[in-house]
Amino acid sequence: MSAKNSVNISFSVNGENFDDVTVPTRQHLADYLRSQGLTGTHLGCEQGACGACTIELDGVAVRSCLVLASQANGSSITTVEGFDDEIMEKVKNNFLKHNAFQCGFCSPGMLMTTKEIISSKKKLSRDEIRAEISGNYCRCTGYQSIVDAIEESINEIN
Amino acid sequence: MDDIKVNQNPKLGSMDRPNSYIGRSLPRENAKKHLEGGGQFVDDLVLPRMLHVAFLRSPFAHAEMKSINVEVAKTSPGVFDVYTAKEIDEYCKPWVGTLGHLGEMRSPEQTPLAEKIVRWQGEPIAVVIANNRAQAEDALEVIEVDWEEKDAQVDMETALDDNAVVIHPELGNNLFWTRTVNQGDVNQAFKASHAVVETTLDFARHTGVTLESRGIVADWNKAEGKITIYHNGQAPHMMQHIIAKHLEVNEGLVRIVSRDVGGSFGIKVHVYPDEMAAAAISKKLGRPIKFIADRLESFTTDIHARCHKISGKLGVDKKGKILAMEINDLSGIGPFSMYPRTSAIETNQVLNLSGAPYIIPNYKAVGTVVFQNKTPMCQYRAVGHPIAVAITEALVDKAATKIGINLHEIRKKNFIPDNAYPNKTPSGVPLEDLSHQASMDKLLNMMNIDDIEKQKESNLAKGVLTGYGVIAMCEVTNPSPLFYGVGGAHISSQDGASIRLEGSGAIHLSSSITEQGQGTEAIMKQIAADQLGVSMDSVRVTLGDTDATPYGGGTWASRGAGIGGEAVLKAARTLKENILDIAAAIMQTDKNSLDVENNTVIRKNGGEGITLQQLAETVYYRGHELPKGTNPELLATASFLIEGIPFVFTNSAMGCKISIDQDTGIVKIDKFWAVEDCGTQINPKLVEEQIKGGVIQGIGGALFEECVYDDQGNMQNATMADYLVPMAYEMPDIIVDHVTTNSGRSIIGAKGAGEAGTGGAPAVIMNAINNALNQLGKEVVSQPITPEKILKALGKI
Ligand code: FES
Ligand code: FES
């Protein structure tokens, strides 16, 4: 690949360092992560509308289809594969308990948004939870069970 | 929802025994992989030497390709080759989307790539094969096509006019299929009616918008003459036949693997040109080929649904007894009937299902299905139901209003009584084991209509329009061979299950039913563990692989629990009998004194038993210890199919309360209730999720979703930012309850539950909105019911 078509960057994903890796300049971050086997990050629209590709970049939930891989230089990224702390275990168990997913394609993005909700430490009403996740599309569940799972997580953790 | 408290089906045994799992809302432990990023979707698969494809698609709804030049594209970086129709046609025979059992259907041959004439915007015409999708897409940009645009037949309502553009000149006109049902004498009955009401409803096109798009990885192995297709479909054995037939591969050497599927809802059960092209290319090149649709491709090439205009007429006597119903439905299906299920089925179901909950002695229905230059239309969740239920229930409401009785009273007056089954729909389709009366009573208890009526009045005084609706419906589930097979399609209506005890004492189960998130794996496990007397965690399940599962239909038309589940139950019972036979021989006792509990063969009267592991070890490793003549069979297989009737129907009653903001035209759904009678619920929580998810899809169609086309047949909103889908904020919590009438067709007694929500919500939402608007003498008749349509109805714009 010629120099102008690619760029070398460094960043970390789920605690693992990616040092001086070559990424195509036009590649979005979701495609890059998926090409590295991190296939838990899903693509539903590639235009920022569905939330399936949501990841955490330097502590903020972002849509990885709207970020170029090259823009991640110097950042620290968490994907669904990196959710192993106690809080996210509780959240995952609540998702399981309430069957807050059917096909599971939206789940990585939903969990990412949930993580942000939980870390805001706010006590949210069901309507407020619905507002918070209204950037994440789910075709299967009708959302109610997802709201149930997030509601219980907030009560349990915050 | 909690576990079922009372025993829902005596044929399944007491719920107090150990390992009683049927009827319990157990979590889907195995699905936890999705919360770890561990799902295995088609696009996650990478095979050695795999190439990627991207399709050049028609920018026009109707045009002729004068010439196409792919030479420059072939030199684009990373490109392996570029093909047009002739290269693909050599490896894939054309198909025709017609069936033989429903009268004459006329649809021309279709090939993976259009050769000269394109007939919808999005139809593929060339394919780039490259090292990755981005490079393939880059090369698409430099393919040169010389187009001659033709007039497009976009509007279905003018498709049969004399001056219509005939999309397939060889057919002479744009008619695909038509059917008339005529029972009794409607004209006479309308004359005799005390009141006759009429309406005409419009249903826009919408589509499935599965979050995971369609995808395929095809892998031809030349040495073996075998093709393996990783495909996010719903019916692997159907696909096996299709690939074999059209790629001319020995059917036994076609393997279809459907791993995790990111939602399907009927969208992924059809044969798509681009997927067939990908498979053909793999065979041509001897390399794995991956095609994953992007969102634009999903919107313009996934089948669309609905696209109906239906007028209806209902005659009632003085007391509100229905005397006659007549409907006339027109539907536009794009330029081809989809293969192999055809695009006639939605209209067919409209004719079958209209009026289905009620006694209607005189019924006439005409359905007309026409071609047009839009994306092909075909079966999507709740096929035909939204149209049939909406027209029926709109007419029933109108009749009630006209003669001045309650919305629920008129329904109760006309229901086929719960004790009058078996019976028939007004169109003559057999009905069994339904409970409209009990379901409506339960719904009314939940809703408290008197209270809502009071709110209506007081809200009106405050300028808020409040309204409510109640509907009843029949839901098509568990289809028999009379659905597709009878018409010549190689679509199995039978499903199989195979279950074995392994040397470790573990149970392995495989089924021809597939999983797209409904919880197939979970319920199969529950049935097997329950019937065998083993713990849930000792059962493991294989689905979605034609090389590894029994033959069968797969998952569509809500058939997983009722048909596939019965096969599992039968296989599990046989295996248990075998286990008890062997145990009786080993333990030197009477079989009837034994049972299986907690993975152990126990003596009912006490005394030491043996574990299934011990039993399996004896059979597999120390067979010489078995008494002579013992049958060592620890593998059981069973199949099930519905015989004699076309479908096992489920019934539902739904209600909702809405309010309308008169300034913005925005509808708020205040409450939504659903009562479903799907017979035995294997996992009540999963049933509830089917209802809720289904209702939300129905609300999508009722209020938001539409594939918007301009006059030239260009889809105007083919992005997720422009096409409105239900998002969490606008959606209500849904209250679900049940009546249980088991299906007499099986031991398990389960009927399907996946269609009702999507089939009934559009009707009940529309009725509720009109109930609100009627206070001002207004109504809406077109879905989606957008704020704009409401403001127009209110005379505000
Ligand atoms: S794929 Fe990024 S928001 Fe949809
Ligand atoms: S669970 Fe399928 S999209 Fe959310």
Side-chain angles (χ1 to χ4, degrees):
Chain A
M1 193 171 283
S2 71
K4 67 178 189 325
N5 287 336
S6 66
V7 39
N8 280 21
I9 59 167
S10 300
F11 54 97
S12 75
V13 184
N14 303 330
E16 184 186 334
N17 288 332
F18 285 64
D19 284 328
D20 202 28
V21 295
T22 306
V23 298
T25 44
R26 293 190 305 167
Q27 189 170 49
H28 60 59
L29 185 54
D31 269 350
Y32 179 77
L33 293 169
R34 291 182 53 79
S35 76
Q36 299 306 301
L38 292 159
T39 51
T41 298
H42 295 156
L43 289 166
C45 69
E46 298 186 89
Q47 65 160 165
C50 76
C53 66
T54 310
I55 59 156
E56 193 182 76
L57 188 103
D58 291 333
V60 182
V62 300
R63 313 207 146 188
S64 58
C65 71
L66 296 184
V67 180
L68 289 171
S70 59
Q71 290 175 291
N73 193 18
S75 66
S76 146
I77 291 168
T78 307
T79 69
V80 67
E81 289 91 347
F83 281 161
D84 48 11
D85 60 34
E86 216 176 297
I87 287 179
M88 287 317 288
E89 270 316 309
K90 283 185 182 160
V91 172
K92 285 192 259 185
N93 285 334
N94 286 325
F95 267 60
L96 188 67
K97 173 174 163 192
H98 291 279
N99 202 56
F101 59 98
Q102 288 182 26
C103 76
F105 205 77
C106 67
S107 304
M110 275 301 173
L111 287 170
M112 220 32 97
T113 304
T114 306
K115 182 167 193 240
E116 200 169 56
I117 294 172
I118 302 278
S119 45
S120 77
K121 299 263 175 242
K122 283 189 251 164
K123 285 269 178 215
L124 301 179
S125 67
R126 285 180 76 82
D127 273 350
E128 287 166 332
I129 294 171
R130 285 181 175 276
E132 290 288 331
I133 61 167
S134 63
N136 288 76
Y137 173 57
C138 172
R139 188 52 145 181
C140 305
T141 61
Y143 304 106
Q144 191 169 340
S145 60
I146 298 175
V147 177
D148 294 340
I150 297 176
E151 190 178 36
E152 182 161 346
S153 299
I154 292 174
N155 290 337
E156 194 181 335
I157 299 161
N158 287 343
Chain B
M1 147 143 345
D2 294 338
D3 298 350
I4 302 270
K5 293 290 183 313
V6 285
N7 200 341
Q8 48 181 345
N9 182 350
K11 292 183 197 162
L12 299 176
S14 147
M15 286 197 66
D16 300 330
R17 74 204 140 83
N19 314 114
S20 133
Y21 301 115
I22 295 177
R24 299 201 192 275
S25 294
L26 303 173
R28 296 188 295 148
E29 292 293 343
N30 283 26
K32 203 172 176 192
K33 65 185 175 188
H34 292 303
L35 307 174
E36 315 279 353
Q40 291 190 309
F41 298 92
V42 178
D43 195 22
D44 302 341
L45 182 68
V46 177
L47 294 180
R49 300 179 70 234
M50 187 168 81
L51 294 169
H52 299 251
V53 294
F55 291 88
L56 185 67
R57 295 176 182 277
S58 168
F60 302 112
H62 201 193
E64 181 173 343
M65 242 189 302
K66 288 291 178 191
S67 65
I68 180 164
N69 184 344
V70 298
E71 293 312 312
V72 182
K74 285 184 181 177
T75 64
S76 190
V79 169
F80 185 84
D81 213 339
V82 183
Y83 297 148
T84 56
K86 73 176 179 314
E87 287 95 347
I88 302 295
D89 285 350
E90 257 180 70
Y91 286 83
C92 182
K93 293 202 299 183
W95 58 85
V96 180
T98 57
L99 285 169
H101 65 306
L102 294 169
E104 190 196 9
M105 292 183 192
R106 311 173 326 145
S107 186
E109 281 192 344
Q110 193 180 359
T111 53
L113 303 181
E115 198 186 328
K116 221 172 162 44
I117 310 285
V118 289
R119 296 176 179 88
W120 89 86
Q121 186 194 49
E123 186 169 8
I125 54 174
V127 55
V128 176
I129 304 130
N131 288 327
N132 61 51
R133 169 84 184 200
Q135 289 174 323
E137 284 181 14
D138 284 348
L140 294 181
E141 305 281 322
V142 294
I143 296 178
E144 287 167 30
V145 185
D146 183 11
W147 290 105
E148 186 175 288
E149 239 185 299
K150 290 161 138 335
D151 287 341
Q153 183 59 45
V154 179
D155 183 0
M156 68 176 176
E157 290 188 58
T158 58
L160 296 179
D161 287 0
D162 287 343
N163 58 353
V165 176
V166 177
I167 297 171
H168 304 288
E170 68 275 27
L171 299 181
N173 61 30
N174 291 320
L175 181 68
F176 162 57
W177 181 71
T178 175
R179 179 184 170 206
T180 300
V181 179
N182 208 344
Q183 306 273 10
D185 183 344
V186 283
N187 291 336
Q188 203 55 42
F190 282 129
K191 268 189 219 137
S193 294
H194 171 72
V196 175
V197 291
E198 296 184 51
T199 193
T200 298
L201 306 179
D202 237 310
F203 298 83
R205 282 174 163 244
H206 52 88
T207 184
V209 204
T210 55
L211 186 51
E212 181 212 30
S213 61
R214 289 187 294 107
I216 186 169
V217 174
D219 184 13
W220 168 251
N221 181 323
K222 197 172 157 201
E224 286 183 286
K226 177 169 182 171
I227 192 162
T228 303
I229 307 262
Y230 302 89
H231 181 233
N232 55 12
Q234 304 172 224
H237 283 104
M238 179 197 91
M239 217 43 205
Q240 180 186 41
H241 170 74
I242 301 275
I243 293 288
K245 179 169 172 187
H246 296 280
L247 267 60
E248 299 184 277
V249 181
N250 177 341
E251 190 164 327
L253 293 174
V254 178
R255 179 183 177 202
I256 309 290
V257 183
S258 292
R259 307 190 302 171
D260 292 314
V261 178
S264 53
F265 319 113
I267 295 298
K268 293 173 176 169
V269 81
H270 309 292
V271 171
Y272 287 92
D274 42 26
E275 295 172 19
M276 293 302 283
I281 295 166
S282 177
K283 190 172 176 217
K284 181 173 163 71
L285 298 181
R287 290 179 68 167
I289 300 292
K290 180 188 272 190
F291 165 65
I292 305 293
D294 66 20
R295 189 50 61 183
L296 174 63
E297 290 178 301
S298 302
F299 275 117
T300 57
T301 70
D302 283 6
I303 56 120
H304 291 177
R306 318 310 176 215
C307 197
H308 286 257
K309 182 164 191 159
I310 185 165
S311 51
K313 200 168 155 184
L314 193 80
V316 293
D317 71 10
K318 253 199 214 104
K319 291 187 173 149
K321 227 27 202 141
I322 300 173
L323 301 179
M325 180 175 181
E326 182 171 0
I327 56 165
N328 195 329
D329 181 57
L330 174 70
S331 173
I333 58 160
F336 292 100
S337 166
M338 285 297 283
Y339 182 64
R341 288 161 194 256
T342 82
S343 301
I345 302 302
E346 174 139 295
T347 294
N348 197 43
Q349 296 297 37
V350 172
L351 271 51
N352 284 341
L353 293 176
S354 293
Y358 306 112
I359 300 169
I360 304 181
N362 302 284
Y363 176 76
K364 183 169 182 197
V366 179
T368 308
V369 184
V370 298
F371 294 118
Q372 54 181 172
N373 292 115
K374 290 182 178 177
T375 296
M377 188 281 267
C378 197
Q379 286 83 278
Y380 157 65
R381 191 175 198 173
V383 183
H385 297 60
I387 294 101
V389 182
I391 190 73
T392 306
E393 298 299 302
L395 289 169
V396 169
D397 269 15
K398 273 183 189 283
T401 309
K402 186 139 182 191
I403 61 165
I405 63 171
N406 280 337
L407 299 181
H408 47 95
E409 262 170 40
I410 189 166
R411 289 176 167 82
K412 288 175 145 188
K413 212 180 273 277
N414 287 288
F415 281 144
I416 299 173
D418 294 355
N419 61 9
Y421 291 96
N423 216 304
K424 280 190 163 114
T425 65
S427 59
V429 180
L431 297 170
E432 303 175 338
D433 308 316
L434 299 180
S435 64
H436 292 293
Q437 292 174 318
S439 297
M440 182 58 71
D441 285 345
K442 193 157 222 175
L443 178 76
L444 295 173
N445 267 335
M446 291 156 79
M447 284 179 73
N448 195 349
I449 294 206
D450 291 345
D451 204 49
I452 299 177
E453 286 283 6
K454 279 186 211 131
Q455 289 173 35
K456 249 181 95 169
E457 259 173 58
S458 61
N459 286 352
L460 187 62
K462 289 182 253 161
V464 177
L465 292 175
T466 298
Y468 70 93
V470 290
I471 61 122
M473 65 177 287
C474 290
E475 171 185 4
V476 167
T477 76
N478 296 2
S480 83
L482 302 177
F483 198 16
Y484 289 117
V486 68
H490 286 214
I491 297 171
S492 172
S493 44
Q494 170 155 321
D495 276 279
S498 172
I499 184 165
R500 65 179 184 245
L501 173 64
E502 300 184 336
S504 64
I507 302 293
H508 177 267
L509 161 67
S510 59
S511 161
S512 53
I513 298 291
T514 54
E515 169 89 86
Q516 294 90 29
Q518 303 90 330
T520 306
E521 178 174 346
I523 63 162
M524 297 296 173
K525 248 189 192 189
Q526 282 177 256
I527 297 166
D530 180 289
Q531 294 296 300
L532 277 171
V534 302
S535 64
M536 285 285 288
D537 61 5
S538 49
V539 185
R540 132 186 144 264
V541 181
T542 297
L543 305 169
D545 183 344
T546 53
D547 271 7
T549 69
Y551 202 85
T555 298
W556 44 274
S558 292
R559 58 197 303 290
I563 299 179
E566 180 77 356
V568 172
L569 178 137
K570 286 169 65 184
R573 287 190 170 185
T574 304
L575 178 59
K576 184 172 170 183
E577 287 304 310
N578 293 356
I579 287 170
L580 291 178
D581 281 332
I582 294 168
I586 294 173
M587 295 158 85
Q588 297 291 302
T589 180
D590 176 21
K591 179 182 171 187
N592 293 327
S593 70
L594 301 175
D595 201 355
V596 184
E597 271 179 14
N598 294 321
N599 306 57
T600 301
V601 180
I602 56 149
R603 293 178 198 269
K604 287 184 198 161
N605 301 329
E608 214 183 327
I610 58 168
T611 65
L612 291 186
Q613 182 177 359
Q614 288 167 333
L615 181 138
E617 285 177 353
T618 309
V619 172
Y620 289 122
Y621 314 132
R622 301 188 306 279
H624 61 281
E625 290 176 9
L626 292 172
K628 203 157 174 264
T630 307
N631 178 8
E633 189 66 88
L634 289 177
L635 168 70
T637 296
S639 295
F640 184 65
L641 111 138
I642 299 293
E643 285 172 279
I645 50 166
F647 319 101
V648 173
F649 283 96
T650 293
N651 67 280
S652 280
M654 286 178 213
C656 77
K657 171 171 156 289
I658 58 99
S659 43
I660 299 172
D661 181 325
Q662 293 200 55
D663 295 324
T664 61
I666 290 175
V667 173
K668 182 167 180 300
I669 302 166
D670 302 320
K671 279 261 155 88
F672 198 110
W673 301 268
V675 176
E676 172 94 344
D677 183 349
C678 60
T680 302
Q681 297 173 63
I682 296 154
N683 182 319
K685 171 70 178 164
L686 295 180
V687 172
E688 190 176 307
E689 291 304 309
Q690 281 302 303
I691 311 291
K692 288 176 177 168
V695 165
I696 299 301
Q697 279 185 27
I699 292 175
L703 296 181
F704 310 116
E705 297 186 40
E706 176 170 11
C707 301
V708 180
Y709 280 88
D710 69 11
D711 294 346
Q712 277 79 48
N714 300 305
M715 189 171 162
Q716 302 286 287
N717 60 339
T719 78
M720 283 202 60
D722 298 302
Y723 179 103
L724 296 183
V725 286
M727 299 300 275
Y729 191 61
E730 300 87 45
M731 290 301 109
D733 280 345
I734 296 157
I735 303 156
V736 182
D737 209 338
H738 302 271
V739 168
T740 304
T741 314
N742 296 316
S743 166
R745 294 269 154 188
S746 59
I747 301 164
I748 204 157
K751 311 179 232 173
E755 323 290 330
T758 307
V764 73
I765 297 275
M766 190 173 220
N767 279 8
I769 290 172
N770 281 334
N771 182 260
L773 292 175
N774 285 348
Q775 297 173 99
L776 305 177
K778 313 287 185 195
E779 69 169 352
V780 285
V781 290
S782 159
Q783 297 194 6
I785 308 164
T786 58
E788 187 188 341
K789 287 177 191 168
I790 292 205
L791 291 175
K792 275 196 183 139
L794 288 170
K796 301 234 171 176
I797 55 171

